[in-house]
Amino acid sequence: MVFAGRNVLVAGAGVTGRSAVRALTERGARVTVTDGNAERLAELDGLGAELAPGLTEPPAGTDLVVTSPGWRPTAPLLVASAAAGIEVIGDVELAWRASRDLPNPATWLAVTGTNGKTTTVGMLESMLRAGGVHALACGNIGLPVLDAVFEGYEVLAVELSSFQLHWSSTLAPHASVVLNLAEDHLDWHGTMESYAAAKGTIHAHSNVVVHNSDDPWSVRLAGEYAPAGAKRVGFRLDTPRPGELGLVEDLLIDRAYGPDPQHSADELISASEVRPAGPHNLANALAAAALARAYGIDPAGVAKGLREFQPGAHRAVEVGEFGGVRYVNDSKATNPHAAAGSLLAHSSVVWIAGGQLKGAAVDELVEVVAGRLRGVVLMGADAPVIAAALARHAPDVPVHRVASGDDGAMNEAVSVASDLARPGDVVLLAPAGASLDMFRNYAHRGDAFADAVLARATGSADDGR
């Protein structure tokens, strides 16, 4: 895609907006950038773009609009652009088109789903590197894919959100996976069907379409969006069928890529060696292995990559063990589906939960995990919703509501949870909701939990009660 001389409007001056402005101006485009936050917009001064705060219509002569993923399709500027016949794309679509002009573009292996994306692309990057491939994890994981495509990598392990996929149309990864699907971001997409449709587009031009055989939505989207002639690969937490990866007793097994999948299988690694622990992370490991094998990484490279993989912060990280009670920070469990996976990894839990549910229901989550709950400590905007579900499905479980705010609330939550816990229990922060009602982000929430646990252990906590 030739950018020189084109008039491009970039909507949003955040991380992806900055990346788009830099890439476009460096390649000769005439760029205007807009944002409702004038202070954030001013930070892009000096990048060679015209700054235009608060636009609701595209400037005359605009050829293309590149939107940041957080902008909803109903934003007046995007609606006006579409009405004027101007194409609107996202930063990922821009990166894909830009990469096609490179002499040796990287191969993309793409990952989406409601939960497990970051862990999966991290595992995938580790497997690729263990197999001797110059690879990088990027995208929604933190590093914009638009920055990564120009760095000369052989393979990109790309994490993609539903927002990014909504604005992508020609993206054609070598292999793609929808890990799972559950209610999330319904405030952005409007309906579950729209959310699923955005996720499914990841498969539309893939050579290898990977699906989770245990997840009906993942199976459905692979069936609806896989192009004719694409290789279909499944994974499951059970004995794999031909064409699948799965579990046989304590072994991860590949029956999709060997010389004779009908009659033979490749052993990859023992399930006990996969970190973080828990069934949902075994599923992530199988998904990553399916993508790595699609690129040609052998079983030894898959196993070595999993052994060397270091989980990211705030993802089922054990903060410490005190008085026989383990404290686990899974602040990244920002929706009910993720929280369920986290809770099901432990047999007896004091659960710290709450935040912004973003329209998601919690009854199914509470019903599934009720038998594992020693007690529950609730905080945040949608604590009453979770409390009501607990009253319906786990009426005998002690529930405490935290009323104070910020770090004081977390200190109180950890203090109460510690009092409820018994030796052998896990005090688990798996909020099931977003964090912005009380914290800057999920990392701030996780740090507050870790600080409160360590303060409690050293006797220096002030729980505010």
Side-chain angles (χ1 to χ4, degrees):
M1 183 178 187
V2 178
F3 299 113
R6 301 195 71 187
N7 297 313
V8 183
L9 173 63
V10 174
V15 174
T16 56
R18 175 183 289 271
S19 176
V21 168
R22 186 185 304 110
L24 289 163
T25 55
E26 288 177 355
R27 285 155 185 82
R30 292 187 291 268
V31 179
T32 300
V33 58
T34 187
D35 196 292
N37 186 326
E39 190 173 314
R40 181 166 56 196
L41 186 63
E43 294 175 0
L44 272 60
D45 190 24
L47 292 183
E50 180 180 344
L51 308 184
L55 290 181
T56 57
E57 294 187 359
T62 298
D63 299 317
L64 177 71
V65 175
V66 178
T67 180
S68 296
W71 284 51
R72 301 186 186 190
T74 54
L77 174 61
L78 304 185
V79 172
S81 299
I86 302 169
E87 186 180 20
V88 181
I89 66 173
D91 66 301
V92 170
E93 178 69 13
L94 179 66
W96 175 256
R97 296 185 187 185
S99 72
R100 297 308 92 187
D101 290 335
L102 299 175
N104 295 297
T107 297
W108 289 33
L109 304 175
V111 177
T112 195
T114 300
N115 297 304
K117 298 184 293 295
T118 300
T119 297
T120 301
V121 295
M123 289 174 168
L124 176 56
E125 177 192 64
S126 187
M127 293 173 189
L128 291 165
R129 291 182 174 181
V133 176
H134 187 43
L136 181 71
C138 61
N140 198 50
I141 194 172
L143 175 69
V145 64
L146 191 54
D147 292 345
V149 295
F150 301 112
E151 296 300 319
Y153 286 93
E154 182 181 349
V155 178
L156 298 179
V158 187
E159 176 183 330
L160 297 173
S161 71
S162 59
F163 306 156
Q164 292 169 317
L165 286 165
H166 177 87
W167 299 112
S168 299
S169 59
T170 68
L171 174 66
H174 173 62
S176 59
V177 63
V178 178
L179 298 170
N180 47 63
L181 212 66
E183 287 187 341
D184 200 14
H185 301 303
L186 300 189
D187 53 345
W188 198 96
H189 290 280
T191 67
M192 187 65 181
E193 288 290 335
S194 295
Y195 174 52
K199 293 290 192 183
T201 59
I202 198 172
H203 294 319
H205 306 290
S206 292
N207 297 319
V208 181
V209 171
V210 178
H211 67 270
N212 181 349
S213 300
D214 296 327
D215 186 280
W217 273 109
S218 180
V219 174
R220 172 181 160 181
L221 294 176
E224 291 181 359
Y225 286 89
K231 179 181 176 69
R232 293 277 299 275
V233 175
F235 64 92
R236 65 174 65 239
L237 293 178
D238 200 348
T239 302
R241 300 168 183 169
E244 293 185 332
L245 291 80
L247 285 175
V248 176
E249 297 180 350
D250 188 46
L251 290 174
L252 275 66
I253 297 293
D254 174 11
R255 293 193 66 192
Y257 295 100
D260 183 10
Q262 290 291 334
H263 302 99
S264 64
D266 287 322
E267 294 182 3
L268 300 176
I269 193 173
S270 168
S272 61
E273 295 182 83
V274 176
R275 292 290 181 273
H280 56 307
N281 284 311
L282 290 177
N284 294 337
L286 289 166
L291 296 178
R293 296 285 280 144
Y295 188 72
I297 302 302
D298 64 20
V302 170
K304 184 173 186 288
L306 284 172
R307 292 187 184 104
E308 294 178 348
F309 171 66
Q310 296 295 319
H314 311 292
R315 293 172 172 82
V317 176
E318 185 167 329
V319 177
E321 182 174 341
F322 311 104
V325 176
R326 294 168 54 223
Y327 293 80
V328 176
N329 168 18
D330 200 5
S331 184
K332 189 60 173 67
T334 56
N335 56 62
H337 187 268
S342 192
L343 286 157
L344 291 172
H346 310 287
S347 59
S348 184
V349 179
V350 179
W351 180 27
I352 300 178
Q356 298 164 302
L357 292 172
K358 300 170 289 184
V362 292
D363 281 82
E364 183 178 353
L365 160 64
V366 172
E367 188 174 12
V368 167
V369 304
R372 299 170 185 261
L373 300 177
R374 171 83 67 184
V376 180
V377 182
L378 297 175
M379 58 200 303
D382 285 329
V385 179
I386 303 175
L390 287 161
R392 287 190 290 271
H393 302 291
D396 297 329
V397 174
V399 178
H400 180 90
R401 290 275 301 277
V402 173
S404 55
D406 300 323
D407 290 353
M410 190 61 79
N411 288 335
E412 180 183 346
V414 168
S415 179
V416 172
S418 298
D419 292 343
L420 290 170
R422 301 290 180 268
D425 288 348
V426 171
V427 170
L428 174 66
L429 174 67
S435 58
L436 298 180
D437 55 334
M438 296 177 65
F439 302 94
R440 291 189 300 275
N441 47 43
Y442 75 83
H444 179 207
R445 178 171 60 189
D447 288 339
F449 173 77
D451 290 346
V453 170
L454 296 176
R456 171 96 178 166
T458 59
S460 60
D462 177 9
D463 63 20
R465 290 187 292 162

